[in-house]
């Protein structure tokens, strides 16, 4: 959990405010969200943390997550979440939306996308993600996930990636691919690079040495090598460039 998750309130006076979110504030938010019913498969509760204080317990399709309410309160305070009950509940709801993905959910609905495999954002790999409304949440196998289940989930995710609906926009020597079904899974289109070449050729954009410019969670640019290198040089976000033939050799993030 990070402060960035909850965001920071706008305005100078709010930034100067040192109002502290306390454990009872978070506890009340848990009860409020539990009464509202955040998700039919998600159960919220508070239990004793074995001497460390009350602990929030999430049970989502068999995957259980525990976190101390004091830790949640401290992160909300650090992020300047207003102490008002509705504000704390909204911030907690944002954290719940990013809760760990259960293994059965990843197996049933996961989609493969490209993401960074390392903290320095230099190596790309495939990752299984699940869409939750407007969010795309990565799946990290639980401790009890078997190797066959992991392989099945990844294989199924690659299959779903191949049928993600996309749109092509051609701008001069560049083809820009965007997902039209789920925001944030644009790189799923790269599981079928030969089809991209054919579809771009049908629009009149014939690439002789197609390279892809990958910015995780963003649309994918396709262009000949020289143009792709220029796009990377002008980019403000971390991105990578590689020939389309190398996509098949990428591992899992």
């Amino acid at each position: 959990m990070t402060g960035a998750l909850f965001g920071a309130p706008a305005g100078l006076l709010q930034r100067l405010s040192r109002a502290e979110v306390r454990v009872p504030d978070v506890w009340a938010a848990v009860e409020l969200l539990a009464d509202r019913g955040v998700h039919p498969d998600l159960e919220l509760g508070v239990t004793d943390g074995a001497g460390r204080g009350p602990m929030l317990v999430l049970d989502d399709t068999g995957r259980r997550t525990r976190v101390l309410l004091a830790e949640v309160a401290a992160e909300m305070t650090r992020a300047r979440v207003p102490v008002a009950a509705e504000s704390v509940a909204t911030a907690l709801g944002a954290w719940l939306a990013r809760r760990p993905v259960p293994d059965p959910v990843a197996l049933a609905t996961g989609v493969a996308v490209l993401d960074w495999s390392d903290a320095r954002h230099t190596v790309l790999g495939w990752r299984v993600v699940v869409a939750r409304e407007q969010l795309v949440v990565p799946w990290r196998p639980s401790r009890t996930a078997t190797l066959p289940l992991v392989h099945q989930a990844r294989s199924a995710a690659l299959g779903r990636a191949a049928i993600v609906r996309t749109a092509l926009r051609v701008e001069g020597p560049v083809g820009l691919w965007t997902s039209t079904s789920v925001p944030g899974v644009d790189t799923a289109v790269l599981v079928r690079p030969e089809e991209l070449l054919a579809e771009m050729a049908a629009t009149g954009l014939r690439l002789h040495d197609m390279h892809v410019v990958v910015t995780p969670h963003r649309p994918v640019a396709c262009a000949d090598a020289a143009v792709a290198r220029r796009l990377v040089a002008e980019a403000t976000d971390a991105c990578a460039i590689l020939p389309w033939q190398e996509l098949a050799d990428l591992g899992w993030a």
Side-chain angles (χ1 to χ4, degrees), residues 84-162:
E86 198 62 39
S87 298
V88 176
T90 298
L92 182 61
W95 180 76
L96 292 175
R98 292 168 173 80
R99 67 191 182 276
V101 173
D103 300 328
V105 174
L107 179 61
T109 66
V111 176
V113 299
L114 283 179
D115 202 354
W116 298 115
S117 299
D118 64 329
R120 298 178 61 189
H121 292 181
T122 58
V123 181
L124 287 171
W126 293 102
R127 189 185 300 280
V128 179
V129 298
V130 169
R132 288 180 179 156
E133 297 181 355
Q134 298 302 309
L135 289 176
V136 174
V137 185
W139 171 57
R140 294 176 176 83
S142 70
R143 294 186 182 91
T144 60
T146 63
L147 190 58
L149 183 146
V150 172
H151 288 326
Q152 291 170 19
R154 289 173 171 175
S155 177
L158 288 170
R160 293 187 194 97

Side-chain angles (χ1 to χ4, degrees), residues 16-174:
L16 292 175
S17 173
R18 295 294 176 179
E20 181 181 358
V21 178
R22 301 181 184 276
V23 167
D25 301 318
V26 181
W27 198 327
V30 172
E31 294 176 341
L32 180 61
L33 293 180
D35 290 341
R36 290 177 180 175
V38 180
H39 189 278
D41 295 325
L42 178 62
E43 296 181 7
L44 302 180
V46 177
T47 187
D48 179 66
R52 295 182 296 165
M55 179 170 287
L56 170 61
V57 180
L58 319 178
D59 196 330
D60 184 6
T61 320
R63 184 159 191 170
R64 182 163 292 187
T65 302
R66 297 179 177 87
V67 60
L68 289 170
L69 294 188
E71 293 180 4
V72 179
E75 290 296 339
M76 288 187 180
T77 299
R78 200 169 292 122
R80 307 291 191 268
V81 173
V83 180
E86 198 62 39
S87 298
V88 176
T90 298
L92 182 61
W95 180 76
L96 292 175
R98 292 168 173 80
R99 67 191 182 276
V101 173
D103 300 328
V105 174
L107 179 61
T109 66
V111 176
V113 299
L114 283 179
D115 202 354
W116 298 115
S117 299
D118 64 329
R120 298 178 61 189
H121 292 181
T122 58
V123 181
L124 287 171
W126 293 102
R127 189 185 300 280
V128 179
V129 298
V130 169
R132 288 180 179 156
E133 297 181 355
Q134 298 302 309
L135 289 176
V136 174
V137 185
W139 171 57
R140 294 176 176 83
S142 70
R143 294 186 182 91
T144 60
T146 63
L147 190 58
L149 183 146
V150 172
H151 288 326
Q152 291 170 19
R154 289 173 171 175
S155 177
L158 288 170
R160 293 187 194 97
I163 58 174
V164 167
R165 294 194 302 274
T166 56
L168 167 64
R169 187 170 82 249
V170 176
E171 296 185 357
V174 179

Side-chain angles (χ1 to χ4, degrees), residues 89 115 206 226 237:
D115 202 354
R206 299 183 180 277
D237 294 327

Side-chain angles (χ1 to χ4, degrees), residues 112-113 126 157-163 187-194 247:
V113 299
W126 293 102
L158 288 170
R160 293 187 194 97
I163 58 174
T187 57
V189 72
L190 294 176
V191 301
R192 50 184 183 91
E194 296 92 342
L247 291 168

